[in-house]
Amino acid sequence: MKTLKGPSLHLAQFSDDATPFNSLPAIARWAAETGFSALQIPAWDRRLFDVATAAESQTYCDDLTGMLAEHGLVVSELTSHIFGQLMAVHPAYDSLCDSFAPPEVHGNPQARGEWAQQQMLMAVKASARLGLSDLGTFSGSLAWPYLFPFPQRPEGLIETAFDELARRWMPVLNACDEQGINLCYEIHPSEDLHDGVTFEMFYQRVKEHPRCRILFDPSHMVLQQLNYLEFVDIYKDMINMFHVKDAEFNPTGRQGIYGGYQSWVDRAGRFRSLGDGQVDFRAIFSKLTQYDYAGWATLEWECCLKNPLDGAREGAAFIRDHIIHITDKVFDDFAGAPVNPQQINTLLGIR
């Protein structure tokens, strides 16, 4: 068994135009003082990271890791969720997703997708230069608007969507293999890979690619009422990244999983700061330890009620308190007795 690494902090929800959240050195100083050991860096946020430079310059990457080391920090992983989202966009979301891409590709889905693929390939190279092994992302979504089967879905619609999704991702997965990087898809509502079944549909279509892996976040499973503990049991060999994020689901006679188009505060399912929701993290940390999860435990803070600074401070302590430091002895060794092979037969009554 292995002791989980942590706590790491996903920076996407904390980066800002105001100090200390507008530059990597400043946010690193704050994160170290808050109790984190590592940073998970969003590759799309130019305030913190230049993915194009990192893909080509070892000096840039060495300077970055050296700066973090001065604060007692390392990079746990890069994330590429925005790039991944743009790899596959249903036309219904074109105008909303254009805001994630540079102006020169707005209104041109093909150009936007090609731009996203190039960003993904740079994120893969940057991860390798930083000495990392895993990269988080979203799958994007071609079929999400057809989640509920009414009007009746035409035969072949979902199959074609997943065939196309696999076609778009294969070059990136192959590049990951060349660079020794595992591509970890976050199982997430609004993505085509939103549960175990859809991950398996994709995994089959990418021919069980050795670099196709899972970013496990139990909060999204609470919101869709998926058994996240059984998910760990089933996919233990595929989970390479872990977002420690809490959530709660409190259905009423007026709303359930779909949320009634309400704000996050008023939804039956909503994200909460660590310890304020319903996720059984003691069981999750126990299972991941039992199954030799070798990665980081990373706080992804999202809460519709609590101040983010409080959420970060409490979250760092929460993760530290839940990490199980593995034992180097068997607890009942005191009752053991040395037995040689000849004595085994005697113990069993075998003559």
Side-chain angles (χ1 to χ4, degrees):
M1 296 185 294
K2 300 179 177 69
T3 297
L4 273 69
K5 296 179 288 188
S8 176
L9 176 66
H10 186 37
L11 295 180
Q13 286 80 13
F14 289 91
S15 63
D16 196 280
D17 291 330
T19 188
F21 305 109
N22 57 351
S23 73
L24 192 60
I27 206 170
R29 186 181 308 110
W30 165 80
E33 292 170 352
T34 305
F36 292 95
S37 303
L39 301 180
Q40 189 177 86
I41 301 176
W44 64 86
D45 194 333
R46 292 292 299 274
R47 292 169 295 192
L48 307 179
F49 188 72
D50 187 332
V51 68
T53 301
E56 301 301 328
S57 172
Q58 190 61 49
T59 299
Y60 175 88
C61 292
D62 291 345
D63 288 346
L64 186 153
T65 55
M67 179 274 294
L68 292 182
E70 293 176 0
H71 298 288
L73 298 169
V74 298
V75 182
S76 58
E77 305 97 353
L78 297 180
T79 56
S80 58
H81 289 62
I82 295 301
F83 303 149
Q85 183 70 64
L86 297 182
M87 287 282 291
V89 179
H90 186 277
Y93 299 105
D94 269 339
S95 59
L96 293 175
C97 285
D98 268 352
S99 63
F100 295 146
E104 56 267 25
V105 299
H106 289 186
N108 188 336
Q110 182 174 344
R112 184 186 60 207
E114 292 170 354
W115 176 85
Q117 185 185 78
Q118 290 304 309
Q119 303 305 302
M120 284 299 313
L121 294 173
M122 288 191 290
V124 172
K125 288 184 178 180
S127 294
R129 287 195 180 278
L130 288 165
L132 306 175
S133 58
D134 301 291
L135 171 64
T137 199
F138 278 153
S139 67
S141 49
L142 298 174
W144 181 255
Y146 307 105
L147 178 69
F148 194 82
F150 185 85
Q152 188 180 66
R153 290 192 292 256
E155 185 176 349
L157 177 73
I158 300 302
E159 291 77 8
T160 300
F162 273 78
D163 288 346
E164 176 63 16
L165 194 68
R167 186 191 68 79
R168 297 185 187 190
W169 277 106
M170 278 299 287
V172 179
L173 286 164
N174 289 337
C176 285
D177 204 28
E178 292 171 4
Q179 298 290 339
I181 304 297
N182 298 308
L183 189 57
C184 305
Y185 293 93
E186 183 166 0
I187 305 302
H188 191 291
S190 79
E191 305 302 313
D192 280 344
L193 275 57
H194 58 268
D195 59 13
V197 172
T198 51
F199 176 80
E200 291 176 19
M201 291 166 61
F202 178 75
Y203 188 55
Q204 291 166 4
R205 284 169 170 79
V206 296
K207 302 177 182 178
E208 299 185 358
H209 199 288
R211 295 299 174 177
C212 181
R213 291 290 184 264
I214 290 172
L215 191 168
F216 171 62
D217 183 333
S219 69
H220 301 299
M221 299 179 183
V222 169
L223 265 56
Q224 58 181 310
Q225 291 296 278
L226 191 156
N227 187 324
Y228 51 83
L229 295 179
E230 188 174 335
F231 184 95
V232 176
D233 291 334
I234 296 169
Y235 300 105
K236 57 184 180 295
D237 296 328
M238 307 294 292
I239 296 172
N240 280 61
M241 291 176 64
F242 173 29
H243 275 173
V244 190
K245 189 169 72 171
D246 213 342
E248 62 184 356
F249 182 69
N250 299 302
T252 69
R254 302 182 67 197
Q255 64 158 292
I257 290 174
Y258 298 119
Y261 296 112
Q262 298 304 293
S263 68
W264 279 114
V265 171
D266 295 322
R267 293 177 69 89
R270 58 188 189 175
F271 299 124
R272 299 299 308 276
S273 280
L274 286 185
D276 294 344
Q278 299 168 346
V279 176
D280 185 352
F281 283 107
R282 292 200 181 279
I284 290 174
F285 275 79
S286 293
K287 283 184 177 292
L288 290 176
T289 301
Q290 174 187 346
Y291 292 140
D292 284 341
Y293 172 73
W296 286 85
T298 300
L299 172 66
E300 184 183 23
W301 178 88
E302 290 183 347
C303 184
C304 56
L305 299 177
K306 183 168 286 184
N307 179 282
L309 300 184
D310 291 338
R313 174 177 47 80
E314 295 172 5
F318 185 96
I319 292 174
R320 282 198 306 273
D321 290 344
H322 279 74
I323 289 177
I324 298 171
H325 297 274
I326 61 170
T327 181
D328 59 357
K329 61 190 297 184
V330 179
F331 65 85
D332 59 354
D333 275 349
F334 75 94
V339 177
N340 62 47
Q342 289 73 26
Q343 290 174 301
I344 294 294
N345 286 346
T346 301
L347 290 171
L348 294 173
I350 300 173
R351 298 183 183 275

Short mmCIF file of all heavy atoms in Angstrom, two decimals, residues 189 194-196 217-231 247-252 255-258 268-271 278-279:
data_model
loop_
_atom_site.label_atom_id
_atom_site.label_comp_id
_atom_site.label_asym_id
_atom_site.label_seq_id
_atom_site.Cartn_x
_atom_site.Cartn_y
_atom_site.Cartn_z
N PRO A 189 -20.77 15.83 -14.88
CA PRO A 189 -21.99 16.20 -15.61
C PRO A 189 -21.71 17.33 -16.60
O PRO A 189 -20.90 18.23 -16.32
CB PRO A 189 -22.93 16.67 -14.49
CG PRO A 189 -22.45 15.96 -13.27
CD PRO A 189 -20.96 15.88 -13.42
N HIS A 194 -19.52 11.19 -18.26
CA HIS A 194 -20.09 11.69 -17.00
C HIS A 194 -20.38 10.59 -15.99
O HIS A 194 -20.80 10.89 -14.86
CB HIS A 194 -21.37 12.49 -17.27
CG HIS A 194 -22.44 11.72 -17.99
ND1 HIS A 194 -22.54 11.72 -19.36
CD2 HIS A 194 -23.42 10.92 -17.53
CE1 HIS A 194 -23.56 10.95 -19.72
NE2 HIS A 194 -24.11 10.45 -18.61
N ASP A 195 -20.17 9.33 -16.34
CA ASP A 195 -20.31 8.24 -15.39
C ASP A 195 -19.47 7.06 -15.89
O ASP A 195 -18.76 7.16 -16.89
CB ASP A 195 -21.78 7.86 -15.18
CG ASP A 195 -22.48 7.43 -16.45
OD1 ASP A 195 -21.81 7.19 -17.49
OD2 ASP A 195 -23.73 7.34 -16.45
N GLY A 196 -19.55 5.94 -15.17
CA GLY A 196 -18.75 4.79 -15.55
C GLY A 196 -19.12 4.22 -16.90
O GLY A 196 -18.26 3.81 -17.68
N ASP A 217 -13.72 12.54 -8.88
CA ASP A 217 -14.25 13.62 -8.04
C ASP A 217 -15.61 13.18 -7.54
O ASP A 217 -16.59 13.18 -8.29
CB ASP A 217 -14.35 14.92 -8.85
CG ASP A 217 -14.82 16.09 -7.99
OD1 ASP A 217 -15.53 15.87 -6.99
OD2 ASP A 217 -14.51 17.24 -8.35
N PRO A 218 -15.72 12.79 -6.27
CA PRO A 218 -16.99 12.24 -5.76
C PRO A 218 -18.12 13.25 -5.72
O PRO A 218 -19.29 12.86 -5.72
CB PRO A 218 -16.62 11.76 -4.36
CG PRO A 218 -15.45 12.60 -3.96
CD PRO A 218 -14.68 12.81 -5.23
N SER A 219 -17.82 14.54 -5.69
CA SER A 219 -18.89 15.54 -5.59
C SER A 219 -19.83 15.45 -6.78
O SER A 219 -21.05 15.61 -6.64
CB SER A 219 -18.30 16.94 -5.47
OG SER A 219 -17.68 17.36 -6.68
N HIS A 220 -19.30 15.21 -7.97
CA HIS A 220 -20.14 15.14 -9.16
C HIS A 220 -20.99 13.88 -9.17
O HIS A 220 -22.03 13.83 -9.83
CB HIS A 220 -19.27 15.20 -10.41
CG HIS A 220 -18.45 16.45 -10.50
ND1 HIS A 220 -19.02 17.70 -10.54
CD2 HIS A 220 -17.11 16.64 -10.49
CE1 HIS A 220 -18.06 18.62 -10.58
NE2 HIS A 220 -16.91 18.00 -10.54
N MET A 221 -20.55 12.90 -8.44
CA MET A 221 -21.31 11.67 -8.34
C MET A 221 -22.45 11.79 -7.34
O MET A 221 -23.52 11.20 -7.52
CB MET A 221 -20.37 10.51 -8.01
CG MET A 221 -19.33 10.35 -9.09
SD MET A 221 -18.14 9.04 -8.79
CE MET A 221 -17.08 9.28 -10.25
N VAL A 222 -22.24 12.59 -6.30
CA VAL A 222 -23.34 12.89 -5.37
C VAL A 222 -24.45 13.62 -6.12
O VAL A 222 -25.64 13.29 -5.96
CB VAL A 222 -22.83 13.76 -4.20
CG1 VAL A 222 -24.00 14.31 -3.38
CG2 VAL A 222 -21.90 12.96 -3.29
N LEU A 223 -24.09 14.58 -6.96
CA LEU A 223 -25.09 15.37 -7.66
C LEU A 223 -25.90 14.55 -8.65
O LEU A 223 -27.04 14.90 -8.96
CB LEU A 223 -24.43 16.55 -8.37
CG LEU A 223 -24.44 17.87 -7.58
CD1 LEU A 223 -23.78 17.71 -6.22
CD2 LEU A 223 -23.76 18.99 -8.37
N GLN A 224 -25.34 13.44 -9.15
CA GLN A 224 -26.12 12.60 -10.06
C GLN A 224 -26.52 11.28 -9.40
O GLN A 224 -26.98 10.37 -10.07
CB GLN A 224 -25.38 12.35 -11.37
CG GLN A 224 -24.01 11.71 -11.23
CD GLN A 224 -23.33 11.53 -12.58
OE1 GLN A 224 -23.91 11.00 -13.53
NE2 GLN A 224 -22.08 11.98 -12.69
N GLN A 225 -26.30 11.19 -8.06
CA GLN A 225 -26.73 10.03 -7.28
C GLN A 225 -26.10 8.73 -7.78
O GLN A 225 -26.76 7.71 -7.94
CB GLN A 225 -28.26 9.95 -7.25
CG GLN A 225 -28.91 11.05 -6.43
CD GLN A 225 -28.53 10.98 -4.96
OE1 GLN A 225 -29.11 10.22 -4.20
NE2 GLN A 225 -27.55 11.78 -4.55
N LEU A 226 -24.80 8.79 -8.00
CA LEU A 226 -24.01 7.64 -8.40
C LEU A 226 -23.25 7.13 -7.18
O LEU A 226 -22.76 7.92 -6.37
CB LEU A 226 -23.05 8.05 -9.52
CG LEU A 226 -22.28 7.00 -10.30
CD1 LEU A 226 -21.91 7.60 -11.67
CD2 LEU A 226 -21.01 6.57 -9.60
N ASN A 227 -23.12 5.84 -7.02
CA ASN A 227 -22.45 5.24 -5.87
C ASN A 227 -20.94 5.42 -6.04
O ASN A 227 -20.27 4.63 -6.71
CB ASN A 227 -22.81 3.77 -5.75
CG ASN A 227 -22.28 3.13 -4.48
OD1 ASN A 227 -21.20 3.46 -4.01
ND2 ASN A 227 -23.06 2.22 -3.91
N TYR A 228 -20.38 6.45 -5.39
CA TYR A 228 -18.98 6.77 -5.63
C TYR A 228 -18.03 5.78 -4.97
O TYR A 228 -16.90 5.61 -5.44
CB TYR A 228 -18.67 8.20 -5.15
CG TYR A 228 -19.10 8.51 -3.74
CD1 TYR A 228 -18.32 8.17 -2.64
CD2 TYR A 228 -20.31 9.18 -3.51
CE1 TYR A 228 -18.72 8.47 -1.36
CE2 TYR A 228 -20.71 9.48 -2.23
CZ TYR A 228 -19.91 9.12 -1.15
OH TYR A 228 -20.32 9.41 0.12
N LEU A 229 -18.44 5.09 -3.91
CA LEU A 229 -17.57 4.09 -3.30
C LEU A 229 -17.47 2.85 -4.19
O LEU A 229 -16.38 2.29 -4.38
CB LEU A 229 -18.09 3.71 -1.92
CG LEU A 229 -18.06 4.82 -0.87
CD1 LEU A 229 -18.62 4.32 0.45
CD2 LEU A 229 -16.65 5.36 -0.68
N GLU A 230 -18.58 2.44 -4.76
CA GLU A 230 -18.55 1.32 -5.69
C GLU A 230 -17.78 1.70 -6.96
O GLU A 230 -17.09 0.86 -7.56
CB GLU A 230 -19.97 0.87 -6.05
CG GLU A 230 -20.02 -0.41 -6.87
CD GLU A 230 -21.43 -0.92 -7.09
OE1 GLU A 230 -22.31 -0.62 -6.26
OE2 GLU A 230 -21.65 -1.63 -8.10
N PHE A 231 -17.88 2.97 -7.36
CA PHE A 231 -17.11 3.46 -8.51
C PHE A 231 -15.62 3.23 -8.28
O PHE A 231 -14.89 2.76 -9.17
CB PHE A 231 -17.40 4.95 -8.74
CG PHE A 231 -16.73 5.53 -9.95
CD1 PHE A 231 -17.40 5.62 -11.16
CD2 PHE A 231 -15.42 6.00 -9.90
CE1 PHE A 231 -16.79 6.15 -12.29
CE2 PHE A 231 -14.80 6.53 -11.01
CZ PHE A 231 -15.49 6.61 -12.21
N ALA A 247 -20.00 17.73 -1.55
CA ALA A 247 -21.30 18.10 -2.12
C ALA A 247 -22.40 17.52 -1.26
O ALA A 247 -22.17 16.66 -0.41
CB ALA A 247 -21.43 17.59 -3.56
N GLU A 248 -23.60 18.00 -1.51
CA GLU A 248 -24.77 17.46 -0.82
C GLU A 248 -25.93 17.37 -1.80
O GLU A 248 -26.01 18.14 -2.76
CB GLU A 248 -25.16 18.32 0.38
CG GLU A 248 -25.55 19.74 0.03
CD GLU A 248 -25.83 20.60 1.26
OE1 GLU A 248 -25.80 20.07 2.38
OE2 GLU A 248 -26.07 21.81 1.09
N PHE A 249 -26.82 16.42 -1.53
CA PHE A 249 -28.01 16.25 -2.36
C PHE A 249 -29.22 16.11 -1.43
O PHE A 249 -29.32 15.14 -0.68
CB PHE A 249 -27.89 15.03 -3.27
CG PHE A 249 -29.06 14.83 -4.19
CD1 PHE A 249 -29.30 15.73 -5.22
CD2 PHE A 249 -29.94 13.78 -4.01
CE1 PHE A 249 -30.39 15.56 -6.07
CE2 PHE A 249 -31.02 13.60 -4.85
CZ PHE A 249 -31.25 14.50 -5.88
N ASN A 250 -30.10 17.09 -1.48
CA ASN A 250 -31.27 17.13 -0.60
C ASN A 250 -32.53 17.32 -1.44
O ASN A 250 -33.04 18.43 -1.57
CB ASN A 250 -31.12 18.27 0.42
CG ASN A 250 -29.89 18.10 1.31
OD1 ASN A 250 -29.75 17.10 1.99
ND2 ASN A 250 -29.01 19.08 1.29
N PRO A 251 -33.04 16.23 -2.03
CA PRO A 251 -34.23 16.36 -2.88
C PRO A 251 -35.46 16.72 -2.05
O PRO A 251 -35.56 16.41 -0.87
CB PRO A 251 -34.37 14.96 -3.48
CG PRO A 251 -33.74 14.05 -2.47
CD PRO A 251 -32.60 14.84 -1.88
N THR A 252 -36.37 17.40 -2.69
CA THR A 252 -37.62 17.78 -2.05
C THR A 252 -38.78 17.34 -2.94
O THR A 252 -38.58 16.72 -3.99
CB THR A 252 -37.69 19.31 -1.87
OG1 THR A 252 -37.83 19.93 -3.17
CG2 THR A 252 -36.43 19.85 -1.19
N GLN A 255 -38.09 19.57 -6.30
CA GLN A 255 -36.98 19.41 -7.24
C GLN A 255 -36.07 18.27 -6.82
O GLN A 255 -36.04 17.87 -5.65
CB GLN A 255 -36.16 20.69 -7.37
CG GLN A 255 -35.45 21.12 -6.10
CD GLN A 255 -34.26 22.04 -6.39
OE1 GLN A 255 -33.26 21.61 -6.96
NE2 GLN A 255 -34.39 23.29 -5.98
N GLY A 256 -35.33 17.76 -7.83
CA GLY A 256 -34.40 16.66 -7.59
C GLY A 256 -33.11 16.88 -8.33
O GLY A 256 -32.54 17.97 -8.31
N ILE A 257 -32.65 15.85 -9.06
CA ILE A 257 -31.34 15.90 -9.71
C ILE A 257 -31.23 17.05 -10.71
O ILE A 257 -30.18 17.70 -10.81
CB ILE A 257 -31.06 14.56 -10.41
CG1 ILE A 257 -30.80 13.46 -9.37
CG2 ILE A 257 -29.86 14.67 -11.36
CD1 ILE A 257 -30.64 12.08 -9.96
N TYR A 258 -32.29 17.35 -11.43
CA TYR A 258 -32.18 18.37 -12.49
C TYR A 258 -32.14 19.79 -11.96
O TYR A 258 -31.72 20.71 -12.67
CB TYR A 258 -33.33 18.21 -13.49
CG TYR A 258 -33.32 16.87 -14.20
CD1 TYR A 258 -34.38 15.99 -14.07
CD2 TYR A 258 -32.22 16.48 -14.95
CE1 TYR A 258 -34.36 14.76 -14.70
CE2 TYR A 258 -32.19 15.25 -15.58
CZ TYR A 258 -33.27 14.39 -15.45
OH TYR A 258 -33.23 13.17 -16.06
N ALA A 268 -31.18 21.36 -5.27
CA ALA A 268 -31.18 20.20 -4.37
C ALA A 268 -29.77 19.63 -4.25
O ALA A 268 -29.36 19.18 -3.18
CB ALA A 268 -32.14 19.13 -4.89
N GLY A 269 -29.03 19.63 -5.34
CA GLY A 269 -27.64 19.19 -5.33
C GLY A 269 -26.72 20.38 -5.45
O GLY A 269 -26.84 21.17 -6.40
N ARG A 270 -25.82 20.53 -4.51
CA ARG A 270 -24.93 21.70 -4.55
C ARG A 270 -23.58 21.35 -3.94
O ARG A 270 -23.47 20.46 -3.10
CB ARG A 270 -25.55 22.89 -3.84
CG ARG A 270 -25.91 22.65 -2.38
CD ARG A 270 -26.69 23.82 -1.81
NE ARG A 270 -26.87 23.70 -0.36
CZ ARG A 270 -27.42 24.63 0.41
NH1 ARG A 270 -27.89 25.75 -0.14
NH2 ARG A 270 -27.52 24.47 1.72
N PHE A 271 -22.54 22.06 -4.38
CA PHE A 271 -21.19 21.84 -3.89
C PHE A 271 -21.00 22.55 -2.55
O PHE A 271 -21.54 23.64 -2.33
CB PHE A 271 -20.16 22.34 -4.89
CG PHE A 271 -20.23 21.65 -6.23
CD1 PHE A 271 -20.39 22.38 -7.39
CD2 PHE A 271 -20.14 20.28 -6.31
CE1 PHE A 271 -20.45 21.75 -8.62
CE2 PHE A 271 -20.21 19.63 -7.54
CZ PHE A 271 -20.36 20.38 -8.69
N GLN A 278 -21.93 15.81 2.18
CA GLN A 278 -22.34 14.45 2.53
C GLN A 278 -21.35 13.37 2.08
O GLN A 278 -21.59 12.19 2.34
CB GLN A 278 -23.71 14.17 1.89
CG GLN A 278 -24.81 15.08 2.37
CD GLN A 278 -26.08 14.95 1.53
OE1 GLN A 278 -26.05 14.37 0.44
NE2 GLN A 278 -27.17 15.52 2.01
N VAL A 279 -20.26 13.74 1.43
CA VAL A 279 -19.34 12.74 0.92
C VAL A 279 -18.63 12.04 2.08
O VAL A 279 -18.14 12.70 3.01
CB VAL A 279 -18.30 13.37 -0.02
CG1 VAL A 279 -17.27 12.33 -0.47
CG2 VAL A 279 -18.98 13.98 -1.24
#
